[in-house]
Amino acid sequence: MSQANVTVDPHAGIMEEKPFAIPSSKLVMWLFIISDAVTFGALLFAYGYIRNASPDWPTPFERASIWNSLLMTFILVTSSLTILIALKAAQNEDRVRAFRWTIVTAVLGLMFTALHLREWLDLIGKGVRTFTNPWGAPMFGATFFAITGLHMAHVVGGVIALVAVGLFHKAGQYSAKHLEILALYWHFVDLVWMFVVPLVYLMNMKR
């Protein structure tokens, strides 16, 4: 019994590298950022609605907390610069310098997290819980911890990714494009914080 000639496509089952004029890996990151932006947008919208609907909304943040939030902002803005330096070094095939600045970025992320945890512990020490606090609207704690907690989780995840990608890139297993994709994520995390500071901190400054 003769067998029919069958032509096999050697590329069958392989994902196209650039289906929409950009690499698939970068496209996936952009889709993630868009979906995550919707999540943060919904949380901030809900926060604004609840705040405006609560006549007894507390304003607990004193001068020290405001300065702390501004220091955290400075650290994140600086980390956006350091990840750009790392990316430029990676594009120039300077893997040692790229690794060094990637780790600097991760350290800045850890500094941000430490300052954020200090803020949390200070509020918890003052009696703030998820649905109770000493000052007013009980939803203050829930909204504050939800928004800042989700953002802090993104920073911690980003720090882990920075260390991992930095090590793999230094070892020659990752290219500059992997660091570029991670930089997109890190810039997004920084951008979200720029909305959190005025809405959550500055508008709730103690008068």
Side-chain angles (χ1 to χ4, degrees), residues 184-200:
L184 286 175
Y185 170 85
W186 194 256
H187 292 319
F188 167 72
V189 172
D190 292 358
L191 180 62
V192 170
W193 181 248
M194 300 305 161
F195 289 91
V196 173
V197 171
L199 290 173
V200 176

PDB file of all heavy atoms in Angstrom, residues 184-200:
ATOM      1  N   LEU A 184       9.642  48.270  30.855  1.00  0.00           N
ATOM      2  CA  LEU A 184       8.276  48.731  30.613  1.00  0.00           C
ATOM      3  C   LEU A 184       7.415  48.522  31.854  1.00  0.00           C
ATOM      4  O   LEU A 184       6.665  49.413  32.269  1.00  0.00           O
ATOM      5  CB  LEU A 184       7.672  47.989  29.417  1.00  0.00           C
ATOM      6  CG  LEU A 184       8.151  48.365  28.027  1.00  0.00           C
ATOM      7  CD1 LEU A 184       7.528  47.432  26.991  1.00  0.00           C
ATOM      8  CD2 LEU A 184       7.796  49.811  27.716  1.00  0.00           C
ATOM      9  N   TYR A 185       7.524  47.348  32.431  1.00  0.00           N
ATOM     10  CA  TYR A 185       6.764  47.034  33.642  1.00  0.00           C
ATOM     11  C   TYR A 185       7.148  47.980  34.777  1.00  0.00           C
ATOM     12  O   TYR A 185       6.279  48.509  35.479  1.00  0.00           O
ATOM     13  CB  TYR A 185       7.024  45.584  34.054  1.00  0.00           C
ATOM     14  CG  TYR A 185       6.489  45.219  35.416  1.00  0.00           C
ATOM     15  CD1 TYR A 185       5.164  44.824  35.576  1.00  0.00           C
ATOM     16  CD2 TYR A 185       7.310  45.271  36.543  1.00  0.00           C
ATOM     17  CE1 TYR A 185       4.671  44.490  36.828  1.00  0.00           C
ATOM     18  CE2 TYR A 185       6.830  44.942  37.795  1.00  0.00           C
ATOM     19  CZ  TYR A 185       5.505  44.556  37.935  1.00  0.00           C
ATOM     20  OH  TYR A 185       5.018  44.237  39.172  1.00  0.00           O
ATOM     21  N   TRP A 186       8.445  48.201  34.954  1.00  0.00           N
ATOM     22  CA  TRP A 186       8.905  49.034  36.066  1.00  0.00           C
ATOM     23  C   TRP A 186       8.440  50.482  35.904  1.00  0.00           C
ATOM     24  O   TRP A 186       8.032  51.131  36.875  1.00  0.00           O
ATOM     25  CB  TRP A 186      10.424  48.959  36.165  1.00  0.00           C
ATOM     26  CG  TRP A 186      10.937  49.502  37.464  1.00  0.00           C
ATOM     27  CD1 TRP A 186      11.540  50.698  37.683  1.00  0.00           C
ATOM     28  CD2 TRP A 186      10.865  48.852  38.744  1.00  0.00           C
ATOM     29  NE1 TRP A 186      11.846  50.839  39.008  1.00  0.00           N
ATOM     30  CE2 TRP A 186      11.448  49.725  39.686  1.00  0.00           C
ATOM     31  CE3 TRP A 186      10.368  47.618  39.172  1.00  0.00           C
ATOM     32  CZ2 TRP A 186      11.550  49.409  41.033  1.00  0.00           C
ATOM     33  CZ3 TRP A 186      10.475  47.291  40.523  1.00  0.00           C
ATOM     34  CH2 TRP A 186      11.050  48.181  41.433  1.00  0.00           C
ATOM     35  N   HIS A 187       8.472  50.991  34.679  1.00  0.00           N
ATOM     36  CA  HIS A 187       7.977  52.352  34.438  1.00  0.00           C
ATOM     37  C   HIS A 187       6.479  52.442  34.735  1.00  0.00           C
ATOM     38  O   HIS A 187       6.004  53.461  35.256  1.00  0.00           O
ATOM     39  CB  HIS A 187       8.246  52.769  32.995  1.00  0.00           C
ATOM     40  CG  HIS A 187       9.691  52.951  32.674  1.00  0.00           C
ATOM     41  ND1 HIS A 187      10.580  53.555  33.538  1.00  0.00           N
ATOM     42  CD2 HIS A 187      10.426  52.618  31.570  1.00  0.00           C
ATOM     43  CE1 HIS A 187      11.784  53.592  32.997  1.00  0.00           C
ATOM     44  NE2 HIS A 187      11.716  53.018  31.802  1.00  0.00           N
ATOM     45  N   PHE A 188       5.747  51.391  34.413  1.00  0.00           N
ATOM     46  CA  PHE A 188       4.311  51.376  34.707  1.00  0.00           C
ATOM     47  C   PHE A 188       4.069  51.444  36.214  1.00  0.00           C
ATOM     48  O   PHE A 188       3.210  52.202  36.683  1.00  0.00           O
ATOM     49  CB  PHE A 188       3.665  50.113  34.123  1.00  0.00           C
ATOM     50  CG  PHE A 188       2.275  49.865  34.630  1.00  0.00           C
ATOM     51  CD1 PHE A 188       1.217  50.650  34.217  1.00  0.00           C
ATOM     52  CD2 PHE A 188       2.023  48.837  35.534  1.00  0.00           C
ATOM     53  CE1 PHE A 188      -0.078  50.429  34.694  1.00  0.00           C
ATOM     54  CE2 PHE A 188       0.747  48.605  36.017  1.00  0.00           C
ATOM     55  CZ  PHE A 188      -0.304  49.411  35.592  1.00  0.00           C
ATOM     56  N   VAL A 189       4.819  50.670  36.975  1.00  0.00           N
ATOM     57  CA  VAL A 189       4.685  50.687  38.432  1.00  0.00           C
ATOM     58  C   VAL A 189       4.969  52.083  38.978  1.00  0.00           C
ATOM     59  O   VAL A 189       4.265  52.572  39.875  1.00  0.00           O
ATOM     60  CB  VAL A 189       5.623  49.645  39.072  1.00  0.00           C
ATOM     61  CG1 VAL A 189       5.652  49.781  40.592  1.00  0.00           C
ATOM     62  CG2 VAL A 189       5.176  48.236  38.688  1.00  0.00           C
ATOM     63  N   ASP A 190       5.991  52.735  38.433  1.00  0.00           N
ATOM     64  CA  ASP A 190       6.311  54.102  38.851  1.00  0.00           C
ATOM     65  C   ASP A 190       5.175  55.059  38.511  1.00  0.00           C
ATOM     66  O   ASP A 190       4.824  55.937  39.313  1.00  0.00           O
ATOM     67  CB  ASP A 190       7.596  54.568  38.162  1.00  0.00           C
ATOM     68  CG  ASP A 190       8.817  53.817  38.655  1.00  0.00           C
ATOM     69  OD1 ASP A 190       8.668  52.972  39.554  1.00  0.00           O
ATOM     70  OD2 ASP A 190       9.917  54.067  38.144  1.00  0.00           O
ATOM     71  N   LEU A 191       4.606  54.906  37.327  1.00  0.00           N
ATOM     72  CA  LEU A 191       3.531  55.792  36.881  1.00  0.00           C
ATOM     73  C   LEU A 191       2.302  55.662  37.780  1.00  0.00           C
ATOM     74  O   LEU A 191       1.669  56.671  38.132  1.00  0.00           O
ATOM     75  CB  LEU A 191       3.165  55.483  35.426  1.00  0.00           C
ATOM     76  CG  LEU A 191       2.042  56.336  34.819  1.00  0.00           C
ATOM     77  CD1 LEU A 191       2.451  57.805  34.796  1.00  0.00           C
ATOM     78  CD2 LEU A 191       1.710  55.856  33.413  1.00  0.00           C
ATOM     79  N   VAL A 192       1.960  54.455  38.148  1.00  0.00           N
ATOM     80  CA  VAL A 192       0.805  54.249  39.028  1.00  0.00           C
ATOM     81  C   VAL A 192       0.995  54.995  40.345  1.00  0.00           C
ATOM     82  O   VAL A 192       0.065  55.613  40.873  1.00  0.00           O
ATOM     83  CB  VAL A 192       0.590  52.745  39.288  1.00  0.00           C
ATOM     84  CG1 VAL A 192      -0.442  52.531  40.397  1.00  0.00           C
ATOM     85  CG2 VAL A 192       0.126  52.044  38.018  1.00  0.00           C
ATOM     86  N   TRP A 193       2.218  54.963  40.866  1.00  0.00           N
ATOM     87  CA  TRP A 193       2.484  55.639  42.143  1.00  0.00           C
ATOM     88  C   TRP A 193       2.230  57.144  42.044  1.00  0.00           C
ATOM     89  O   TRP A 193       1.835  57.781  43.027  1.00  0.00           O
ATOM     90  CB  TRP A 193       3.915  55.364  42.579  1.00  0.00           C
ATOM     91  CG  TRP A 193       4.273  55.988  43.895  1.00  0.00           C
ATOM     92  CD1 TRP A 193       5.152  57.005  44.114  1.00  0.00           C
ATOM     93  CD2 TRP A 193       3.762  55.631  45.183  1.00  0.00           C
ATOM     94  NE1 TRP A 193       5.213  57.309  45.445  1.00  0.00           N
ATOM     95  CE2 TRP A 193       4.372  56.471  46.128  1.00  0.00           C
ATOM     96  CE3 TRP A 193       2.840  54.662  45.619  1.00  0.00           C
ATOM     97  CZ2 TRP A 193       4.093  56.399  47.488  1.00  0.00           C
ATOM     98  CZ3 TRP A 193       2.569  54.581  46.974  1.00  0.00           C
ATOM     99  CH2 TRP A 193       3.186  55.444  47.895  1.00  0.00           C
ATOM    100  N   MET A 194       2.425  57.718  40.873  1.00  0.00           N
ATOM    101  CA  MET A 194       2.191  59.149  40.689  1.00  0.00           C
ATOM    102  C   MET A 194       0.714  59.513  40.852  1.00  0.00           C
ATOM    103  O   MET A 194       0.385  60.669  41.134  1.00  0.00           O
ATOM    104  CB  MET A 194       2.676  59.596  39.297  1.00  0.00           C
ATOM    105  CG  MET A 194       4.159  59.367  39.065  1.00  0.00           C
ATOM    106  SD  MET A 194       5.174  60.142  40.346  1.00  0.00           S
ATOM    107  CE  MET A 194       6.705  59.263  40.148  1.00  0.00           C
ATOM    108  N   PHE A 195      -0.165  58.542  40.685  1.00  0.00           N
ATOM    109  CA  PHE A 195      -1.588  58.770  40.932  1.00  0.00           C
ATOM    110  C   PHE A 195      -1.941  58.493  42.395  1.00  0.00           C
ATOM    111  O   PHE A 195      -2.833  59.125  42.953  1.00  0.00           O
ATOM    112  CB  PHE A 195      -2.445  57.885  40.019  1.00  0.00           C
ATOM    113  CG  PHE A 195      -2.414  58.296  38.580  1.00  0.00           C
ATOM    114  CD1 PHE A 195      -1.486  57.757  37.702  1.00  0.00           C
ATOM    115  CD2 PHE A 195      -3.311  59.222  38.089  1.00  0.00           C
ATOM    116  CE1 PHE A 195      -1.445  58.137  36.374  1.00  0.00           C
ATOM    117  CE2 PHE A 195      -3.291  59.620  36.758  1.00  0.00           C
ATOM    118  CZ  PHE A 195      -2.347  59.074  35.890  1.00  0.00           C
ATOM    119  N   VAL A 196      -1.240  57.543  42.989  1.00  0.00           N
ATOM    120  CA  VAL A 196      -1.535  57.163  44.376  1.00  0.00           C
ATOM    121  C   VAL A 196      -1.183  58.289  45.341  1.00  0.00           C
ATOM    122  O   VAL A 196      -1.951  58.599  46.264  1.00  0.00           O
ATOM    123  CB  VAL A 196      -0.774  55.871  44.757  1.00  0.00           C
ATOM    124  CG1 VAL A 196      -0.948  55.562  46.245  1.00  0.00           C
ATOM    125  CG2 VAL A 196      -1.265  54.699  43.914  1.00  0.00           C
ATOM    126  N   VAL A 197      -0.030  58.929  45.145  1.00  0.00           N
ATOM    127  CA  VAL A 197       0.432  59.952  46.091  1.00  0.00           C
ATOM    128  C   VAL A 197      -0.566  61.092  46.257  1.00  0.00           C
ATOM    129  O   VAL A 197      -0.968  61.398  47.379  1.00  0.00           O
ATOM    130  CB  VAL A 197       1.824  60.480  45.683  1.00  0.00           C
ATOM    131  CG1 VAL A 197       2.208  61.687  46.527  1.00  0.00           C
ATOM    132  CG2 VAL A 197       2.864  59.394  45.844  1.00  0.00           C
ATOM    133  N   PRO A 198      -1.010  61.752  45.181  1.00  0.00           N
ATOM    134  CA  PRO A 198      -1.954  62.861  45.396  1.00  0.00           C
ATOM    135  C   PRO A 198      -3.314  62.407  45.901  1.00  0.00           C
ATOM    136  O   PRO A 198      -3.916  63.075  46.753  1.00  0.00           O
ATOM    137  CB  PRO A 198      -2.064  63.517  44.013  1.00  0.00           C
ATOM    138  CG  PRO A 198      -1.634  62.464  43.049  1.00  0.00           C
ATOM    139  CD  PRO A 198      -0.626  61.635  43.763  1.00  0.00           C
ATOM    140  N   LEU A 199      -3.818  61.276  45.394  1.00  0.00           N
ATOM    141  CA  LEU A 199      -5.165  60.848  45.767  1.00  0.00           C
ATOM    142  C   LEU A 199      -5.230  60.275  47.176  1.00  0.00           C
ATOM    143  O   LEU A 199      -6.189  60.527  47.915  1.00  0.00           O
ATOM    144  CB  LEU A 199      -5.675  59.798  44.770  1.00  0.00           C
ATOM    145  CG  LEU A 199      -5.994  60.313  43.361  1.00  0.00           C
ATOM    146  CD1 LEU A 199      -6.329  59.156  42.441  1.00  0.00           C
ATOM    147  CD2 LEU A 199      -7.159  61.299  43.404  1.00  0.00           C
ATOM    148  N   VAL A 200      -4.217  59.504  47.561  1.00  0.00           N
ATOM    149  CA  VAL A 200      -4.270  58.805  48.840  1.00  0.00           C
ATOM    150  C   VAL A 200      -3.561  59.575  49.950  1.00  0.00           C
ATOM    151  O   VAL A 200      -4.023  59.604  51.087  1.00  0.00           O
ATOM    152  CB  VAL A 200      -3.663  57.397  48.699  1.00  0.00           C
ATOM    153  CG1 VAL A 200      -3.608  56.684  50.043  1.00  0.00           C
ATOM    154  CG2 VAL A 200      -4.465  56.568  47.699  1.00  0.00           C
TER     155      VAL A 200
END
